Amino acid sequence: MGARYPTAKILGRLRGICLAFPETEEIETWGHPTYRIRKKIFVGCGAAEDGRPQMSCKAPPGEQQALIASNPDRFFVPAYVGSKGWVGVYLDGAVDWAEIAELVEESYRMTAPKRLLSAAPPQRIGDRRPGTGRDRPARPR
């Protein structure tokens, strides 16, 4: 099976979520976009080992296993970083962008320096539709 990389539309949505946080940048690494805060990767995307378009990000302890158990067709343990607690999310089919925004925000908060978080806390991206300013109901935790 050949690699099916994320489409421009998927990359655009993910890029908008990731770059909304302070001091983030997009850098292509290993032929795929990665999103970084002060040189540290907090989100990577491309094609999973099985060829499906995907992203991966840091997850708090226990969340990787909980997400995979809740929906193994959507979540997976990514290669290389999965052993460090990162979670992979397939980006084909119906994508819950509010959920993606929450995962990205958690990963950003786990990666960004504490002084940056306290000086300029990021807006809850998952509560707004990126680029529209329209409210979206918060996802229960």
Side-chain angles (χ1 to χ4, degrees), residues 3 7 28 41 64 70 81-82 89 93 103 111 124 135 137 139:
T7 64
E28 187 173 312
I41 298 173
Q64 177 200 63
S70 73
V81 293
V89 185
L103 292 169
T111 308
R124 294 260 332 149
D135 289 333
R139 182 174 163 235

Side-chain angles (χ1 to χ4, degrees), residues 1-140:
M1 172 188 298
R4 297 185 324 233
Y5 297 101
T7 64
K9 182 178 178 179
I10 290 171
L11 285 175
R13 286 292 293 268
L14 185 60
R15 180 178 291 123
I17 292 167
C18 293
L19 295 179
F21 294 101
E23 296 188 30
T24 60
E25 62 182 338
E26 178 178 342
I27 296 177
E28 187 173 312
T29 306
W30 309 292
H32 305 288
T34 60
Y35 298 92
R36 300 167 184 241
I37 173 68
R38 297 191 180 172
K39 299 183 181 181
K40 294 182 180 178
I41 298 173
F42 68 98
V43 171
C45 68
E49 289 181 339
D50 65 358
R52 294 173 68 187
Q54 60 88 23
M55 64 156 267
S56 57
C57 60
K58 290 183 177 182
E63 188 166 351
Q64 177 200 63
Q65 297 87 352
L67 288 169
I68 293 168
S70 73
N71 191 347
D73 293 330
R74 178 122 177 105
F75 298 101
F76 64 97
V77 177
Y80 309 109
V81 293
S83 64
K84 294 173 177 54
W86 284 52
V87 65
V89 185
Y90 292 114
L91 297 175
D92 53 359
V95 178
D96 181 346
W97 288 105
E99 181 176 56
I100 297 297
E102 286 182 24
L103 292 169
V104 168
E105 181 178 354
E106 280 182 322
S107 186
Y108 175 86
R109 289 182 173 277
M110 292 176 69
T111 308
K114 300 300 180 219
R115 279 191 276 167
L116 178 61
L117 292 175
S118 63
Q123 181 182 27
R124 294 260 332 149
I125 302 298
D127 295 342
R128 297 203 172 267
R129 292 186 185 142
T132 68
R134 289 189 236 158
D135 289 333
R136 172 181 288 163
R139 182 174 163 235

